[in-house]
Amino acid sequence: MLQDGKIFIGKSTKPEYLDLRLANRHGLVTGATGTGKTVSLQVLAEGFSNAGVPVFAADIKGDLSGMAAPGNGKEPLVKRAKDIGVDYVPDKFPVVFWDLFGEQGHRVRATVSEMGPLLLSRLLDLNDTQEGVLNIAFRIADEQGLLLLDLKDLRALLQLISDNASELTTTYGNVSKATIGTIQRQLLVLENQQGDEFLGEPALDIKDLMRVDRDGRGIVNILAADKLMSNPRLYATFLLWLMSELFEELPEVGDLDQPKMVFFFDEAHLLFNDAPKALVETVERVVRLIRSKGIGVYFITQNPIDIPESVLAQLGNRVQHALRAYTPREQKAVRAAAQSFRENPAFDTEKAITELGVGEALVSTLEGKGAPSMVERTLIAPPMAQVGPIELTERQQIIASSPMKGKYDQPVDPESAYEMLAKRAEQAAAEAKAAEGGGGILDMIGGLFGTTNQRKGSMTVTQRVTREVTRTIVNQTVGNLAAEIGKSIGGRQGSSIGRAIVRGTLGGLLRR
């Protein structure tokens, strides 16, 4: 269905296409439950894959897994193809399955440093004060090269900051132990929800999402999101992280003949629910600028009003399925959807939205110099791959033969902040022992990791040694560890190699 650099979407009074040159101007697929959004998503994904454009799609219900199997030629699909004047030719597409939990695909991980304080604060549901303290922790880690890979690294750093808050306050701002304790509790909640399985190494290399097969077709990367949806905040944070990684890592390329990659974000309203204004503004900026990196972002949700207006204005290609209009909010959504289209004098757009049948949609795409086409009532083309999920055995066979097999499946635990701080604690304990012939070890470890040994009366030799060694270690930890840690990670394998201690738009650590 690819014709002259265009993707065939369906037929109205004429064939409707999506111009690949303008596909990086983003898009929106909306409609009530059961109106055909997933089928429209699949048709677009198949078109991009045929054009050699890699695709990433979050699979909420498991239906998109059917793209890995040829269509079964069901009568409604064959009839629809005939009605719009195309041949129904069953086909399957190159698919790689991913899963944050490693159950239905290759495991996806990101490091704590890559996530950054902004996204991690949202994942942990922190308030402004707690986010500020987390920013202090990341600032210390970044300035001194303390690489934060997993939760134990972050916990160790937070504990060190808590135990030495008075020494750090004058430099970095007020840090209370109560706030640190709240963040630690939220980390425990995240761990109980298996969110810690997402944080660690080996971290995902986005280049592995931007691949084509031997036939030149774009790989369709499908994220199993049915279980992930039980933790909507983790789902939304992961998608935002992935988009920010692409934005920060890819070079400016301007306008291309076709996108370098296209993302489909299902249940897009979760990206913005309860999001602070600063985060929404940052996402709007990323969406606006990422097209110059050759990336197209397509949001799938029920109502256009689920998307902030500042983001909605960036979405040029639109497929609108039927909406209900029973309540005042639904009526508002229908009105807003109708007003977002370039009017067609042949029909009433607002009325048509409530009358569309399954498989029908109002379609408007960018054309010419980027102006939206007149909205058309369109019968969406049938997918050529299977509609609906594949069997579990089929999925397992595809995972077993995947080129990504073995690269991300097993966790690794390289030397990072936790190990470096533990090593410093051991060195300090040895120095204290040497200074007093065996005393002071518990005091020193307490100074670093919270096992405080409090004594009354005058300051002993052990206490004086402990105080001075603790102060020295704090200064080293918060002063000049960059060279040592940089050396320790310099030869390490994995996606964290060579990351510069510089943060990007969404707070994630940039790579060199």
Side-chain angles (χ1 to χ4, degrees):
M1 293 186 183
L2 178 67
Q3 298 182 15
D4 302 322
K6 298 180 179 180
I7 295 174
F8 181 63
I9 299 177
K11 186 176 181 182
S12 57
T13 56
K14 66 184 191 309
E16 297 294 331
Y17 295 97
L18 173 62
D19 193 331
L20 285 170
R21 293 182 300 107
L22 299 169
N24 67 331
R25 305 295 177 91
H26 313 314
L28 179 68
V29 180
T30 54
T33 301
T35 57
K37 295 192 303 294
T38 302
V39 169
S40 293
L41 188 162
Q42 184 169 333
V43 168
L44 291 172
E46 290 181 3
F48 282 118
S49 179
N50 280 328
V53 178
V55 172
F56 178 91
D59 191 10
I60 302 297
K61 302 185 293 292
D63 291 347
L64 289 179
S65 64
M67 292 186 67
N72 45 28
K74 291 183 178 179
E75 178 59 28
L77 299 178
V78 175
K79 183 180 184 301
R80 189 189 301 185
K82 184 178 179 180
D83 289 343
I84 63 177
V86 298
D87 295 327
Y88 182 83
V89 182
D91 196 3
K92 64 179 181 179
F93 294 81
V95 168
V96 173
F97 292 111
W98 302 91
D99 185 356
L100 264 65
F101 306 111
E103 297 172 357
Q104 301 183 65
H106 303 296
R107 190 179 291 276
V108 180
R109 297 182 183 87
T111 66
V112 172
S113 287
E114 284 179 325
M115 288 292 291
L118 180 60
L119 290 180
L120 195 59
S121 294
R122 191 190 183 204
L123 180 60
L124 298 175
D125 196 21
L126 303 183
N127 62 29
D128 290 344
T129 300
Q130 294 153 2
E131 182 180 345
V133 171
L134 192 63
N135 270 279
I136 292 174
F138 274 83
R139 177 69 176 271
I140 292 172
D142 288 354
E143 288 181 350
Q144 310 308 326
L146 280 169
L147 197 60
L148 304 175
L149 300 182
D150 50 30
L151 289 188
K152 73 177 187 300
D153 291 327
L154 183 56
R155 284 197 181 103
L157 180 60
L158 289 171
Q159 185 65 60
L160 181 65
I161 292 172
S162 176
D163 291 341
N164 300 279
S166 59
E167 288 88 346
L168 300 175
T169 294
T170 56
T171 302
Y172 295 100
N174 187 48
V175 178
S176 73
K177 292 187 177 182
T179 301
I180 293 287
T182 300
I183 298 174
Q184 295 280 36
R185 286 196 299 273
Q186 291 300 95
L187 291 175
L188 180 60
V189 172
L190 178 64
E191 188 173 27
N192 290 340
Q193 295 175 345
Q194 293 184 279
D196 61 315
E197 296 184 15
F198 168 55
L199 298 171
E201 285 276 32
L204 177 67
D205 184 347
I206 63 168
K207 295 183 180 65
D208 286 332
L209 301 179
M210 304 176 68
R211 301 169 55 254
V212 297
D213 69 359
R214 294 179 180 178
D215 298 326
R217 296 204 293 181
I219 299 294
V220 180
N221 300 277
I222 296 178
L223 175 71
D226 49 349
K227 180 179 178 180
L228 184 59
M229 287 305 297
S230 63
N231 189 343
R233 194 174 293 272
L234 176 59
Y235 170 74
T237 305
F238 164 72
L239 294 183
L240 290 174
W241 166 79
L242 197 55
M243 186 166 61
S244 69
E245 282 288 288
L246 286 165
F247 176 72
E248 301 293 356
E249 287 200 30
L250 296 179
E252 296 278 344
V253 293
D255 292 326
L256 302 174
D257 290 336
Q258 63 184 40
K260 297 176 68 174
M261 190 173 192
V262 170
F263 276 75
F264 292 96
F265 290 164
D266 204 355
E267 300 293 340
H269 63 281
L270 296 175
L271 300 177
F272 307 102
N273 280 357
D274 302 321
K277 182 180 179 181
L279 180 58
V280 173
E281 290 175 349
T282 303
V283 172
E284 183 270 329
R285 185 164 63 252
V286 171
V287 170
R288 184 177 69 251
L289 299 177
I290 200 172
R291 72 175 185 84
S292 64
K293 309 292 183 85
I295 303 298
V297 179
Y298 288 71
F299 295 98
I300 295 88
T301 189
Q302 291 197 11
N303 293 319
I305 59 175
D306 294 335
I307 310 294
E309 288 188 6
S310 59
V311 176
L312 197 62
Q314 309 299 322
L315 312 181
N317 302 294
R318 302 194 179 192
V319 178
Q320 175 67 64
H321 288 272
L323 289 174
R324 316 301 180 213
Y326 303 129
T327 68
R329 184 179 187 276
E330 291 172 340
Q331 292 168 3
K332 178 182 177 182
V334 170
R335 193 174 307 112
Q339 292 172 350
S340 68
F341 286 107
R342 178 182 166 190
E343 187 178 356
N344 188 333
F347 60 87
D348 183 334
T349 304
E350 185 174 338
K351 183 179 180 182
I353 291 176
T354 63
E355 296 176 343
L356 294 169
V358 175
E360 281 189 299
L362 297 183
V363 173
S364 175
T365 59
L366 299 179
E367 59 184 8
K369 295 183 179 181
S373 65
M374 189 179 296
V375 63
E376 295 286 356
R377 186 166 178 167
T378 304
L379 183 61
I380 301 298
M384 296 301 161
Q386 177 176 310
V387 176
I390 59 175
E391 297 293 333
L392 179 59
T393 54
E394 295 178 90
R395 181 189 285 264
Q396 291 172 340
Q397 290 172 358
I398 293 171
I399 295 171
S401 60
S402 168
M404 295 295 105
K405 179 177 173 58
K407 183 171 182 178
Y408 297 106
D409 299 331
Q410 296 301 320
V412 295
D413 188 17
E415 187 175 65
S416 51
Y418 174 84
E419 288 78 15
M420 291 302 300
L421 292 175
K423 186 181 297 185
R424 291 281 170 179
E426 292 175 1
Q427 292 173 353
E431 291 180 21
K433 181 177 181 180
E436 199 182 71
I441 297 178
L442 292 179
D443 287 342
M444 187 60 253
I445 295 176
L448 281 174
F449 296 103
T451 312
T452 305
N453 183 19
Q454 299 185 359
R455 297 171 183 168
K456 298 181 179 180
S458 61
M459 183 177 289
T460 65
V461 174
T462 298
Q463 290 171 327
R464 288 196 296 272
V465 171
T466 297
R467 183 189 64 181
E468 294 304 319
V469 175
T470 299
R471 183 176 299 164
T472 299
I473 291 174
V474 170
N475 289 337
Q476 289 174 331
T477 301
V478 190
N480 61 359
L481 283 177
E484 292 187 25
I485 295 180
K487 185 184 300 182
S488 72
I489 67 174
R492 178 170 67 82
Q493 298 298 316
S495 65
S496 295
I497 292 179
R499 292 195 177 112
I501 308 302
V502 181
R503 296 206 165 268
T505 304
L506 281 174
L509 200 61
L510 299 183
R511 297 184 178 94
R512 289 197 189 106

